[in-house]
Amino acid sequence: MRFARIASGLVLAVVGLVVTAVGGAAAFWLVGPDNTVDTGEQSLVSKGLAVMTAPDLIDRHGPTLHLTAAAAGPVFVGIGQDIDVASYLGRSQYTRLIRFELPSSFDSQEMTGKVAPLAAPAGLDWWTVKASGEGKQSLAWPIVDGRYDVVVMNADGSPDVDARVTLGVEIDGLFGSCLMVFGGGLLLTFIGLLLMFVRRRRQPLPPVPVVKPLNLQPVMPYTPPKASSQPSSVRRAVGVASVVLLTATGCTAIPPKNVSQEVTTKPAVTLADGQAVLDRYAEVRARVNQTYDAKLDETIEAGARLRQSRAAAFIGRKLDPAGKDPATSDSFEDIEIGAPEFAAYPMRFVSTAKLSTDPTRGQLGVWERGNAGAPWLLTHAVFPLTAEDVPPMDGLRMPDKADMAKLPLLPQAAGANLAQYLSEGPTSKQATRFATSTDLTQVLANRAKDKQSQIAKDYISTVTDTFRPDGQPTVFIASNGEALVFLNLTEQFLQQVEPGNYANWTSGAVSAYSKNVKYYQTLRQDYLHEVALVIPPAGKTRVLAIRTQVVGGGGS
């Protein structure tokens, strides 16, 4: 028995010393009272444009991640979703950290690619947290479930990153748990020493009864007392030590594993960031209108919207070379954002807003970002009357096959039908497919009036007016099942000149393209129409708004 106690005590003492050493080292060297395990200052160097963590490196959530970086020049540190970071870096050269072991062991992988500077990262709106500037830059981020990357790069997006970085993970209660492990180790050591060196007192035998010689009675043989049913001190010590260790290193102290690693979609924009996009657009648009700066215009618009703006600016320069009558600028109020979920770039969102210059109409626009490093550009914009029923922005999404199958008319067909309706006029058989709307009625009335006025001229023989779809429509599905469709139409208004006569443009917007030039065969006006319409699950298609701009003119 004594040998067993000594052996058990030796084992407990050795285990206790190990646990004490580990707990003490963790509490007073690795962690500290701030509950944070950090790497110490490490040098992260890349010939490329950034140093970033692989998407699966941050595979647990709950703790708070602390990051501090400093470099010879301005430095940027940020944390963003992998869908954005991967698009931003794209095919650039950078260094990726693929493995990290506490306290300071990194394994990296060099990603080859282009070294052309990227857009300055601090100006991008999709970072979850970010810090940028001279000197030390620090951030703290409670890690959430999902695919996130940590990025360190030069603040101007240039190559050759050389930063001194400290990375830390703060886990609530970690220091206390380490102290409990330390205390548990001391307890095990004490129990082990107790078993080894404290000798157990023997229980004395009961006294032998005295028997009188003259009264002899039979004496029962002596039976030793039974062993106690209570656990021995060794078992008790092991049990207590086990409870202490389980409490100190229980599963509650281990951050849970991420379960959203495969979720790769995100809203195109937040409400706050969407509002900031519109505010920036209004500010830049005002400058463009004052200066007719085409390059500046390209930083806020694209597609049909840019084509219309360029045409309007060209006409303005021709008809108002002194710039005495610049275009008016709007600011946006009561902004609402419809932001579908996307798994990759390009991304789009829709905005509705009231206009500061016209209380009878609102703005309805589509914004697109080609990649995570590009600005948001306005690609479609119309101004529906406030009386028009615009689909709700909440829950707006991109269509799938099931959504398209529920529509009575596909968006491409709607565009073709509308073009035919406008070309043929109110008597077109396509008219029955569309509900009456103010903008649609106005366009039809204006073209009928133009045709009548031109035919009345002696030198004009015939007039044709042809609308055609231009490009593919952009489609969104609202929460009520309606399809919100943005499309473009081109129009050529063509006048045939009577033989032996000539005609020329003398005034109006079209004269900016061809003024006082004599044409003996035709006169031509070219238009670009931006259209927004709604295709309901049942019923007629509604035209919300049409925005028209002269984009060319001339003749032959």
Side-chain angles (χ1 to χ4, degrees), residues 50-384:
V51 178
M52 65 164 284
T53 58
D56 56 352
L57 193 59
I58 303 177
D59 61 352
R60 293 183 180 274
H61 60 278
T64 299
L65 183 67
H66 295 270
L67 182 65
T68 300
V75 66
F76 171 86
V77 291
I79 298 173
Q81 293 191 46
D82 181 63
I83 186 175
D84 298 309
V85 175
S87 174
Y88 175 55
L89 294 178
R91 298 183 179 180
S92 299
Q93 179 179 338
Y94 60 94
T95 300
R96 184 163 65 177
L97 303 180
I98 58 176
R99 188 169 62 182
F100 168 61
E101 294 180 359
L102 290 173
S104 58
S105 176
F106 294 98
D107 287 338
S108 63
Q109 179 183 27
E110 296 299 323
M111 310 299 292
T112 59
K114 299 179 295 185
V115 292
L118 297 171
L124 303 173
D125 57 18
W126 43 260
W127 296 103
T128 304
V129 289
K130 61 184 178 181
S132 181
E134 296 278 358
K136 282 190 175 183
Q137 300 298 314
S138 300
L139 54 82
W141 174 57
I143 303 173
V144 298
D145 197 352
R147 293 171 64 85
Y148 288 85
D149 305 327
V150 179
V151 179
V152 179
M153 57 190 300
N154 294 328
D156 60 357
S158 61
D160 293 322
V161 178
D162 187 356
R164 301 177 304 280
V165 177
T166 301
L167 183 67
V169 178
E170 178 186 349
I171 302 176
D172 289 341
L174 183 58
F175 180 65
S177 296
C178 293
L179 288 179
M180 292 180 70
V181 172
F182 177 71
L186 290 177
L187 181 60
L188 286 177
T189 303
F190 174 76
I191 294 173
L193 294 176
L194 190 67
L195 292 174
M196 290 172 60
F197 297 110
V198 177
R199 300 181 66 178
R200 184 177 178 182
R201 296 180 61 183
R202 285 189 170 184
Q203 184 176 352
L205 294 175
V208 179
V210 179
V211 181
K212 296 180 180 181
L214 297 177
N215 189 19
L216 296 177
Q217 297 288 339
V219 179
M220 298 297 295
Y222 170 72
T223 302
K226 293 182 179 180
S228 172
S229 61
Q230 298 298 322
S232 67
S233 59
V234 174
R235 292 177 61 191
R236 185 181 293 111
V238 172
V240 171
S242 298
V243 170
V244 171
L245 288 175
L246 287 174
T247 302
T249 60
C251 294
T252 56
I254 301 175
K257 272 272 192 181
N258 289 347
V259 296
S260 301
Q261 286 291 314
E262 299 306 319
V263 177
T264 57
T265 62
K266 58 162 286 187
V269 72
T270 65
L271 174 60
D273 288 338
Q275 292 174 337
V277 169
L278 268 72
D279 290 341
R280 176 183 177 273
Y281 175 86
E283 185 268 327
V284 176
R285 182 77 257 168
R287 285 191 281 147
V288 171
N289 290 345
Q290 291 290 332
T291 62
Y292 300 124
D293 188 334
K295 290 294 183 182
L296 188 58
D297 202 2
E298 292 174 2
T299 66
I300 56 173
E301 293 182 339
R305 179 82 298 278
L306 181 59
R307 289 164 60 192
Q308 284 202 357
S309 292
R310 283 175 170 171
F314 177 79
I315 294 169
R317 290 195 301 271
K318 289 289 185 178
L319 303 184
D320 182 26
K324 295 181 180 180
D325 187 24
T328 57
S329 299
D330 278 303
S331 59
F332 303 112
E333 303 168 354
D334 298 336
I335 298 170
E336 295 184 22
I337 300 297
E341 295 267 342
F342 286 90
Y345 284 85
M347 295 185 181
R348 299 184 182 95
F349 75 89
V350 179
S351 66
T352 64
K354 294 181 179 179
L355 300 175
S356 60
T357 59
D358 188 354
T360 65
R361 288 186 179 267
Q363 183 264 13
L364 178 62
V366 178
W367 306 80
E368 182 171 323
R369 172 178 265 169
N371 59 71
W376 283 107
L377 302 177
L378 183 64
T379 58
H380 300 272
V382 294
F383 302 104

